[in-house]
């Protein structure tokens, strides 16, 4: 892990060997969202301030003084990590996201602001680092440092957990997940994190078995992820955003859409120990035309959410058993403002493993890749 | 199963289509003495099962009492046609819409039955309970669905060779049938109904639902109906087969611009199902959405199945349920998914009779007192519809009544069939030499060949029953039935599992039996046996006059020449028919001179100089000259050397092959002429056993249990397999754990050509298993 380096640091325009020029960015360009972390130095000396070039200043001001950028860019202010020391510099780490669809506009902005004149390295991970590499080069004269998304994810995650969330633990879990009445959120840290099963739910899902910071493998993945939830919700309900879809889901009742065990067997299926309330067939009621005609959008959204979430839980649980790992950490932007899913995952892990498995969640759910990319910026400094 | 969308779909499924008239000789056959009914009612299809006894004619041979000197003819034995009763299982599948018509029909034709209950399973059982009880006067007794499914699955896996297949789209043969494993357990059954159940089956009675998923056929149907406004399951599949999922799904290349190389994820891989439908403000076609949904669900189920297979360390995974049920589209997507997730380590297996499992299982539950599992059963090709493609454009052969009724009939075999204990590896043994599903030119030739031979078979069948005036009419029905089977197989070679020369021959025997021609060659066999016996002593005497060395060769040539007498081979039957005097000596002249096409005579000869074998098992072929002048002298020599001999012959008739009944009589009369045979019989050094087969070919994995017992008791160290059917069409590549000798004359010019030989080329294949012991001895 990166350590703050010792010794006084020279200002950036001297091009020191071991400190990268500002601005410090880390970027994770996913299938649906671009996650951007920005380190805002707060220990800028007057001398530094004076020598700071104008467009660097304007970038800093633009990013830190706004919480929304354009129509779709958002800064998650509540996630900001304050007074962080990185490479001997103190600053605030900002977390910004915008849709991948807006990527061409973002690159355009990079050109308009003459970003290339800053001589910084733009560290990028996620598939978009590869997909948009040429556009960055040709449109904005910017060279990306492309980084593997899973490397970045693990580095970023371990880093954020270690520096803690402004003095509070980064992680949390649910106590009594099987009981809706007494189910409560509890914070925790990943003190001894290995081995862990890391389930990253973005547009799709990747499941990793992590044994140490540099020793991990991708166990499997599934294409039924956040993108599927949103995609199906848009088609089924006409909604347009993730927030809208979740809002609808929170008001719906999936049992009007899904066929439960009791709908088929009248009660529990005792021969196989299946509870009557278990879902037997997702969207099973929708085979009937009458039921299709009378179903509400909210119920459909909820059923979609429950279906996708349960499926991820089920796959994660089996991977945990096959890999003999008891700690399952769920991350990714699918879990953002999505307590329905986090609670359901916690419940599913607990119930199906009879208490053997525990689901853990992290507050900066979708940003670890971007943080990891930022950390790489400093790692590459000494390269000749 | 899919709701069949009708124009009058507003009428409830209880409103029956009464217009259909059921022909009693085709559907619900043998109802007169039917008992033990079981019914499996699914979402749209009903499967009815019952047990019945079938009376059919069998040809029996009986020795004349020669001591009384009363016999007015020269025949050694008499042939009588007797009635025999065998047990048969009938399974009929039809649309739920016909249920009332069918129940009425059954009631009208059910004559004497003491049956009081009908076992029922399936989701629709409760819905029709009242109707069944009212119509049939039987009490409906519900059985657990999954238990029935597993019971049925075990039954078909155990009794139907080539029940399971892998599905490989875009290949010459999409259906690749699997050899039945000696031990069918353990396996995983993934039943994809509205949801998914994953069941681990460890033994006949031990199974456990180890997991499942709510994302199944109901999800495809329900979600698909919402997305595409299409009602039916089949319609959705149709849509899906025309769609492009890439416009709806987010692929790896949509995110990466290409592949994700370091993880080995190719660009075309789906990263997020429906991932594009969230971002674009555009309309998606029904076809594309249906396709995307199909991929999503198939991949998900495949992944879960793989995870469970890995968790429980199982490699045999069968897929069933209405989502699969013969649909090439879903079989393909599931297969693709399994291949992807296991990197080819696990194969997705499907079952030919998957739709019948519940009904079979329910039937077995009700028949436990008859203990059906203690018997072996065989699929009756004459009475079974075979696997049909459900896709209309893939199914040019329309069945009668537009595929409304599908049938499976299984005969109870007289004997329990088991593996030959001498197979080197029973699990990899494949009886048939050429797979006609994969080998298109061979398929074409053999289908043509069987079709061409049909006239002769019909003629022979009529001639075998000269006293029965209606024989011609029955023979004509046989012709139609068998011709129809051949046509079906031409279009759907996979209909009855592996298509082989053996299956074509067996199907013909089943069809002949169906129309009461139990043994069309009985008279010819009788004549030939009588004729050949007259020459026995002369032949033996001539052989005894030879030097030891000359005699060994003459004996082998005798077996080969005898084997030329084969009515099953067209080239020979032409000669036999035109020239009944075609003699043994002429046959010898026809034989290819050494070196033969396959020639290990020198090794065999060397072996004969060594110590005698302990006991030889001889699978014999034809009647007449073959068995009497070819095989018997050879056997006599083995006996003289001190080798015991077990003669294995067919249990039932097939072409002019000698049956066990005939061989008993023949051996007795040879013994009367030959003290060597006489004493060997008395000392129990020569014994006759039946093979359990009624086929001109030989499946060493399905032999009479008694034969297997004899093999173990006698420490067989030499297996001799004779004839084209047993040693070339089948078993040519069979590896045995003891020495073996395969002898045949190729009496078919096409086959000879294939093998690089000519008509009457000789295959003489002597093989010694390579054991560590021997290979060590061979190492200098």
């Amino acid at each position: 892990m990166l350590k703050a380096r010792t010794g006084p640091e020279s200002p950036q325009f001297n091009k020191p060997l071991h400190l990268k020029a500002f601005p410090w960015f880390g970027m994770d360009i996913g299938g649906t969202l671009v996650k951007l972390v920005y380190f805002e130095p707060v220990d800028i000396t007057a001398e530094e301030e004076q020598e700071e070039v104008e467009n660097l200043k304007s970038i800093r001001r633009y990013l830190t003084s706004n919480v929304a950028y354009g129509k779709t860019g958002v800064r998650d202010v509540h996630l900001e990590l304050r007074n962080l020391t990185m490479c001997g510099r103190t600053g605030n780490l900002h977390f910004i996201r915008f849709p991948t669809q807006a990527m061409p506009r973002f690159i355009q902005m990079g050109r308009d602001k003459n970003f290339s004149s800053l001589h910084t390295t733009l560290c990028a991970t996620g598939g978009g680092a590869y997909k948009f590499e040429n556009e960055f080069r040709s449109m904005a004269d910017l060279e990306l440092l492309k980084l593997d998304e899973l490397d970045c994810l693990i580095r970023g995650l371990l880093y954020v957990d270690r520096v803690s969330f402004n003095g509070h633990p980064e992680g949390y879990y649910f106590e009594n997940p099987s009981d809706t009445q007494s189910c409560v959120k509890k914070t925790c840290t990943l003190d001894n994190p290995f081995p862990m099963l890391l389930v990253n739910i973005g547009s799709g899902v990747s499941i990793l078995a992590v044994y140490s910071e540099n020793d991990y493998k991708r166990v499997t993945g599934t294409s039924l992820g956040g993108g599927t939830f949103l995609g199906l919700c848009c088609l089924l309900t006409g909604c347009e955003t993730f927030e809208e879809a979740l809002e609808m889901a929170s008001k719906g009742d999936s049992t009007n859409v899904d066929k439960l065990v009791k709908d088929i067997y009248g009660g529990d299926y005792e021969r196989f120990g299946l509870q009557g309330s278990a879902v037997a067939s997702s969207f099973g009621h929708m085979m009937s035309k009458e039921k299709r005609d009378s179903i509400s959008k909210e119920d459909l959204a909820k059923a979609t959410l429950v279906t996708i979430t349960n499926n991820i839980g089920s796959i994660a649980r089996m991977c945990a058993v096959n890999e003999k790992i008891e700690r399952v950490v769920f991350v990714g932007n699918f879990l953002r403002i999505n307590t329905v899913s986090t609670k359901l995952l916690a419940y599913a892990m607990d119930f199906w493993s009879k208490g053997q498995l525990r689901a853990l969640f992290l507050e900066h759910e979708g940003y670890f890749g971007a943080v990891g990319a930022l950390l790489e910026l400093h790692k590459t400094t000494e390269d000749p | 199963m899919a709701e069949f969308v009708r124009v009058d779909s507003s009428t409830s499924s209880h409103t029956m289509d009464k217009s259909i008239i059921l022909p009693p000789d085709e559907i619900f056959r043998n109802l007169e003495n039917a008992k033990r009914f079981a019914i499996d009612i699914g979402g749209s299809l009903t499967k009815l099962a019952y047990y019945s006894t079938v009376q059919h004619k069998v040809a029996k041979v009986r020795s004349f009492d020669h001591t009384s000197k009363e016999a007015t003819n020269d025949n050694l034995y008499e042939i009588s046609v007797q009635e025999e009763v065998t047990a048969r299982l009938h399974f009929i599948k039809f649309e739920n819409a016909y249920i009332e018509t069918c129940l009425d029909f059954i009631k009208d034709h059910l004559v004497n039955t003491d049956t009081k209950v009908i076992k029922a399973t399936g989701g629709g059982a409760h819905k029709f309970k009242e109707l069944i009880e009212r119509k049939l006067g039987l009490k409906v007794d519900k059985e657990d669905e999954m238990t029935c499914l597993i019971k049925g699955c075990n039954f078909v896996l155990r009794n139907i060779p080539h029940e399971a297949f892998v599905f490989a789209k875009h290949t010459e043969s999409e259906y690749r049938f699997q050899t039945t494993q000696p031990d069918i357990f353990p396996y995983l059954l993934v039943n994809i109904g509205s949801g998914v159940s994953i069941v681990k089956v460890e033994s006949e009675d031990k199974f456990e639902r180890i997991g499942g998923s709510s994302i199944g056929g109901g999800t495809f149907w329900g979600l698909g109906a919402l997305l595409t406004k299409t009602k039916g399951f089949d319609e959705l599949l149709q849509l899906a087969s025309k769609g492009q999922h890439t416009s709806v799904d987010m692929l790896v290349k949509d995110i990466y611009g290409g592949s994700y190389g370091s993880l080995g994820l190719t660009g075309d891989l789906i990263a997020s199902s429906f991932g594009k439908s969230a971002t674009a403000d555009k309309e998606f076609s029904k076809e594309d959405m249906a396709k995307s949904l199909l991929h999503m669900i198939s991949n998900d189920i495949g992944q879960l199945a793989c995870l469970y297979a890995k968790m429980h360390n199982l490699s045999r995974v069968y897929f069933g349920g209405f989502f699969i049920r013969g649909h090439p589209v879903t079989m393909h997507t599931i297969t693709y998914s399994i291949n992807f997730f296991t990197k080819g380590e696990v194969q997705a297996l499907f079952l030919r009779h998957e739709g019948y499992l519940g009904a079979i299982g329910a039937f077995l539950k009700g028949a436990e007192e008859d203990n059906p599992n203690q018997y072996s059963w065989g699929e009756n090709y004459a009475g079974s519809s075979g696997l049909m493609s459900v896709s209309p454009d893939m199914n040019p052969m329309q069945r009668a009544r537009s595929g409304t009724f599908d049938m499976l009939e299984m005969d109870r075999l007289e004997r329990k069939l088991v593996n030959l204990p001498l197979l080197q590896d029973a699990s990899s043994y494949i009886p048939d030499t050429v797979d006609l599903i994969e080998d298109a030119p061979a398929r074409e030739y053999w289908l043509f060949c069987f079709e061409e031979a049909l006239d002769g078979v019909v003629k022979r069948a009529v001639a075998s029953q000269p006293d029965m005036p209606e024989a011609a009419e029955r023979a004509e029905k046989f012709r139609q039935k068998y011709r129809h089977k051949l046509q079906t197989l031409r279009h759907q070679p996979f209909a009855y599992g592996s298509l082989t020369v053996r299956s074509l021959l067996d199907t013909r025997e089943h069809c002949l039996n169906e129309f009461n021609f139990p043994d069309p060659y009985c008279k010819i066999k009788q004549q030939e046996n009588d004729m050949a016996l007259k020459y026995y002593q002369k032949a033996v005497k001539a052989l005894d006059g030879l030097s030891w060395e000359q005699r060994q060769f003459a004996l082998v040539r005798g077996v080969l020449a005898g084997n030329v007498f084969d009515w099953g081979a067209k080239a020979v039957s032409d000669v036999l028919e035109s020239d009944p005097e075609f003699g043994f000596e002429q046959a010898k002249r026809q034989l290819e001179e050494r070196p033969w096409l396959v020639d290990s005579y020198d090794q065999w000869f060397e072996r004969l100089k060594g110590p005698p074998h302990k006991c030889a098992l001889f699978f014999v072929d034809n009647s007449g000259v073959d068995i009497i002048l070819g095989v018997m002298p050879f056997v006599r020599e083995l006996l003289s050397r001190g080798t015991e001999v077990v003669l294995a012959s067919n249990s039932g008739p097939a072409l002019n092959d000698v049956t066990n009944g005939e061989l008993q009589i023949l051996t007795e009369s040879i013994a009367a002429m030959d003290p060597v045979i006489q004493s060997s019989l008395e000392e129990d050094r020569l014994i006759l056993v039946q093979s359990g087969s009624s086929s001109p070919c030989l499946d060493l994995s399905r032999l009479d249990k008694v034969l297997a017992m004899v093999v173990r008791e006698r420490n067989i160290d030499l297996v001799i397999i004779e004839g084209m059917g047993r040693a070339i069409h089948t078993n040519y590549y069979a590896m045995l754990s003891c020495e073996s000798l395969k002898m045949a004359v190729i009496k078919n010019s096409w086959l000879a050509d294939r093998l690089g030989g000519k008509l009457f080329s000789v295959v003489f294949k002597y093989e010694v298993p390579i054991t560590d012991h021997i290979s060590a001895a061979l190492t200098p």
Side-chain angles (χ1 to χ4, degrees), chain A residues 101 127-128 131 148-149 203-204 218 220-221 223 227-228 231 269 271-272 280-282 287 292 311 315 318 322, chain B residues 144 146 194-195 207 209 214 219 221 225 254-256 260 262-263 271-274 277 279 300 303-304 307-308 311:
Chain A
Q101 276 184 310
K131 187 180 175 183
D148 181 80
E149 62 173 297
S203 313
R218 184 178 188 272
T220 189
S223 69
T228 315
Y269 190 2
R271 173 72 181 78
F272 286 131
S281 174
S282 297
M287 287 187 274
R292 279 201 299 276
N311 190 59
I315 293 171
M318 269 184 290
N322 280 346
Chain B
D144 174 65
M146 198 57 75
S194 51
F207 64 88
R209 185 186 190 274
S214 65
T219 315
W221 193 345
D254 293 320
I255 302 175
Y256 272 82
Y260 184 177
S262 62
L263 285 181
S272 177
S273 295
F274 287 90
S277 61
T279 49
D300 193 55
Q303 180 171 30
L304 284 169
L307 286 165
Y308 279 109
M311 196 184 275

Side-chain angles (χ1 to χ4, degrees), chain B residues 314-507:
Chain B
L314 297 168
S315 58
R316 263 176 278 172
V317 186
Y318 300 101
F319 288 85
F322 82 69
F323 185 69
I324 299 291
R325 205 138 298 167
H327 296 295
V329 190
T330 53
M331 288 197 290
H332 172 63
T333 50
I334 288 284
T335 300
Y336 178 86
S337 169
I338 293 287
N339 284 342
F340 174 78
F341 284 110
T342 68
K343 299 180 178 75
E345 274 173 36
V346 174
Q347 280 191 317
L349 295 166
F350 304 97
L351 300 169
R352 275 173 60 213
H353 298 102
E354 191 276 320
Y356 285 110
L357 301 186
I360 294 173
F363 171 80
L364 292 172
K365 283 293 276 185
E368 266 162 0
E369 63 188 65
D370 285 344
N371 207 355
N373 272 330
Q374 77 176 18
Y375 300 99
S376 285
W377 299 79
E379 180 179 8
N380 187 309
Y381 294 136
S384 303
S385 314
L387 184 68
M388 290 291 157
S389 174
V390 286
S391 149
D393 41 306
M394 272 182 67
N395 184 11
M397 283 296 297
Q398 285 298 317
R399 257 173 294 168
R401 257 158 296 282
S402 64
T404 304
F405 292 87
D406 187 277
M407 280 166 287
L408 166 65
E409 292 185 5
M410 294 189 71
D411 290 323
R412 191 174 80 196
L413 309 177
E414 278 175 64
R415 303 156 169 273
K416 182 104 182 167
L417 302 182
V418 296
N419 270 312
L420 177 69
L422 296 168
L423 284 174
Q424 225 174 60
D425 176 15
S427 61
S428 68
Y429 169 72
I430 298 169
D432 306 285
T433 307
V434 179
D435 181 345
L436 299 182
I437 297 181
E438 286 184 17
D439 190 337
R443 176 172 73 238
E444 210 151 289
Y445 169 75
W446 286 112
L447 285 172
F448 167 77
C449 186
F450 277 87
E451 180 127 32
E452 216 190 25
L454 196 48
D455 279 345
V457 177
V458 168
K459 217 169 101 186
R460 185 69 43 211
V462 176
S464 71
Q465 298 177 348
D467 309 330
M468 302 190 189
E470 29 60 72
E473 195 185 319
R474 266 186 293 124
E476 203 45 50
K477 281 186 184 166
F478 153 75
R479 183 210 300 274
Q480 281 168 19
K481 181 129 200 174
Y482 189 57
R483 179 171 286 160
H484 184 257
K485 294 273 169 197
L486 291 175
Q487 278 165 1
T488 303
L489 288 166
R490 193 159 302 202
H491 294 290
Q492 319 227 113
F494 51 81
Y496 295 92
S498 275
L499 181 63
T500 59
V501 175
R502 177 168 63 106
S503 74
L504 288 169
L505 284 162
D506 291 353
T507 305

Side-chain angles (χ1 to χ4, degrees), chain A residues 254-270:
Chain A
S254 60
T255 63
N256 294 329
V257 180
D258 296 340
K259 217 176 230 183
L260 306 186
V261 168
K262 67 178 172 211
D263 295 326
I264 299 174
Y265 293 97
D268 297 351
Y269 190 2
E270 280 159 23

Side-chain angles (χ1 to χ4, degrees), chain B residues 114-310:
Chain B
D114 44 7
T115 303
K116 299 275 183 289
V117 295
I118 178 167
K119 290 282 179 188
T121 187
H126 68 274
K127 193 166 144 192
F128 292 97
K129 182 174 185 283
E130 192 268 331
L131 183 76
I132 297 166
E133 294 192 332
R134 181 161 49 83
K135 288 278 177 189
L136 294 185
L138 299 176
K139 189 179 160 290
V140 170
D141 189 5
K142 273 211 79 179
E143 287 291 339
D144 174 65
E145 214 173 326
M146 198 57 75
T147 309
C148 291
L149 205 60
I150 303 295
K151 266 198 165 316
C153 192
N154 292 339
F155 186 80
V156 295
L157 285 175
R158 196 178 289 122
N159 288 291
I160 304 185
H162 304 136
E163 173 62 27
F165 61 89
V166 298
F167 187 79
K169 209 184 165 186
H170 310 306
T171 57
E172 170 71 35
S173 56
E174 295 172 317
Y175 298 75
R176 293 208 192 124
F177 293 94
Q178 307 290 297
T179 346
T180 308
Q181 297 293 307
D183 187 5
I184 61 170
F185 305 109
Y187 66 84
L188 210 58
L189 179 68
V190 181
N191 191 54
I192 315 174
S194 51
V196 181
S197 280
I198 300 180
V199 185
K200 175 185 176 184
V201 186
E202 283 175 286
S203 70
E204 186 58 44
D205 299 306
K206 193 175 175 207
F207 64 88
E208 185 193 354
R209 185 186 190 274
I210 55 171
S213 166
S214 65
I215 301 184
T219 315
F220 178 68
W221 193 345
L223 195 46
L226 285 167
L227 291 171
T228 66
K229 314 272 182 272
T230 302
K231 274 186 237 156
F233 178 78
D234 285 358
E235 283 174 277
L236 275 168
L237 278 183
Q238 284 264 316
L239 282 180
S241 63
K242 286 181 253 162
Q244 285 292 329
H245 75 103
T246 51
S247 64
V248 183
D249 289 342
M250 188 184 282
L251 309 185
V252 167
K253 68 178 172 203
D254 293 320
I255 302 175
Y256 272 82
S259 65
Y260 184 177
S262 62
L263 285 181
L265 304 178
T266 60
D268 287 327
L269 209 65
I270 304 170
S272 177
S273 295
F274 287 90
K276 280 183 192 157
S277 61
T279 49
D281 297 325
K282 64 170 187 179
E283 290 288 306
F284 296 92
S285 81
K286 289 178 178 186
E287 287 81 2
D288 293 353
M289 288 190 288
K291 180 65 169 260
S292 174
L293 187 62
L294 177 66
H295 275 300
M296 175 180 111
I297 289 167
S298 297
N299 286 338
D300 193 55
I301 294 169
Q303 180 171 30
L304 284 169
C306 292
L307 286 165
Y308 279 109
K310 190 179 172 195

